[in-house]
Amino acid sequence: QQQVKQSPQSLIVQKGGISIINCAYENTAFDYFPWYQQFPGKGPALLIAIRPDVSEKKEGRFTISFNKSAKQFSLHIMDSQPGDSATYFCAASDMGNEKLTFGTGTRLTIIP
Amino acid sequence: DAGVIQSPRHEVTEMGQEVTLRCKPISGHDYLFWYRQTMMRGLELLIYFNNNVPIDDSGMPEDRFSAKMPNASFSTLKIQPSEPRDSAVYFCASLTRRTSWGVQFFGPGTRLTVL
């Protein structure tokens, strides 16, 4: 019940295209859904996060879409750039718990 | 702020040796997390502390692993004896609810290779 399932495992997108990464969860107590970005040789860093009181959150080219009834959330990267090439992790937690449950990660490659 | 500091950045050791990884959290952060990252298992939480007290160590793989946090600015993860399957990147992360709820700040990691 604690799992967060992430897909796809890897993704190749052309420069300027839209990158979409999906996550699904089982635990209905989860109420905080961050996305972390990790570059090679670095630790993960928070990219954007959402709480279930809204269905979408946008920060620049990055958007989280959240579907509470389906227990799914996704990351959309608009106008994808080579600098976006990284591994992306979705995660989830509940308000009373600082422990994050991470997805398995998606390796995104943006090609020119 | 310097961010989360981890040392060493790389460690190569032989099977059976003791390995100690170190972490200095961001000043003022009261939660500290240790993670292990491998290709096969992804990012796994090993243990986390709140105010220097271990809260959840259910992710510690076995008795060979131990973690301590003697004060608010220092934590260690020890593996004794080490085995080749412990080869991974180990991350430390810290967090405070006071200014940035839910945001874990990760260190650069320690890449451990056990031969």
Side-chain angles (χ1 to χ4, degrees):
Chain A
Q1 194 180 18
Q2 291 295 317
Q3 256 188 330
V4 176
K5 296 182 180 178
Q6 183 172 347
S7 63
Q9 190 173 4
S10 62
L11 181 62
I12 299 174
V13 175
Q14 210 145 26
K15 179 183 173 183
I18 303 173
S19 304
I20 302 174
I21 304 171
N22 301 298
C23 285
Y25 63 97
E26 292 291 329
N27 188 347
T28 54
F30 285 154
D31 57 5
Y32 174 67
F33 303 91
W35 285 88
Y36 279 76
Q37 180 188 54
Q38 183 181 26
F39 293 105
K42 305 290 186 183
L46 179 71
L47 180 64
I48 186 173
I50 196 169
R51 297 194 193 282
D53 51 341
V54 296
S55 60
E56 185 176 281
K57 182 173 181 180
K58 184 175 180 179
E59 290 184 1
R61 296 183 295 108
F62 300 92
T63 300
I64 299 179
S65 297
F66 182 78
N67 185 330
K68 188 172 183 178
S69 60
K71 291 186 286 185
Q72 295 176 347
F73 59 110
S74 59
L75 176 69
H76 296 234
I77 305 175
M78 311 300 287
D79 186 26
S80 299
Q81 299 297 312
D84 298 331
S85 296
T87 299
Y88 292 81
F89 294 92
C90 61
S93 70
D94 63 71
M95 281 284 285
N97 193 343
E98 293 68 30
K99 178 177 171 179
L100 285 172
T101 300
F102 280 91
T104 49
T106 296
R107 178 173 283 187
L108 174 65
T109 303
I110 307 300
I111 55 175
Chain B
D1 201 313
V4 176
I5 298 173
Q6 291 187 247
S7 65
R9 293 295 312 276
H10 302 273
E11 177 82 35
V12 180
T13 190
E14 292 191 344
M15 183 174 65
Q17 296 298 307
E18 178 180 292
V19 175
T20 299
L21 311 181
R22 297 172 176 79
C23 175
K24 177 179 169 54
I26 294 173
S27 177
H29 282 197
D30 46 359
Y31 288 86
L32 184 139
F33 305 80
W34 281 102
Y35 290 90
R36 177 172 67 178
Q37 185 174 38
T38 61
M39 289 295 292
M40 290 297 294
R41 300 176 68 90
L43 199 59
E44 302 173 275
L45 176 65
L46 301 177
I47 185 171
Y48 79 96
F49 296 82
N50 176 217
N51 291 324
N52 315 335
V53 176
I55 302 301
D56 184 345
D57 65 354
S58 60
M60 295 288 262
E62 45 197 279
D63 291 347
R64 298 184 297 106
F65 286 69
S66 62
K68 293 182 180 179
M69 191 164 187
N71 57 62
S73 58
F74 183 66
S75 178
T76 60
L77 179 67
K78 187 176 292 186
I79 308 172
Q80 164 66 13
S82 58
E83 297 183 2
R85 60 192 167 120
D86 301 330
S87 297
V89 181
Y90 291 81
F91 289 102
C92 174
S94 68
L95 172 158
T96 180
R97 282 189 167 190
R98 287 188 294 272
T99 55
S100 51
W101 193 93
V103 181
Q104 293 189 21
F105 293 84
F106 282 76
T110 295
R111 181 174 293 276
L112 173 65
T113 303
V114 183
L115 302 174

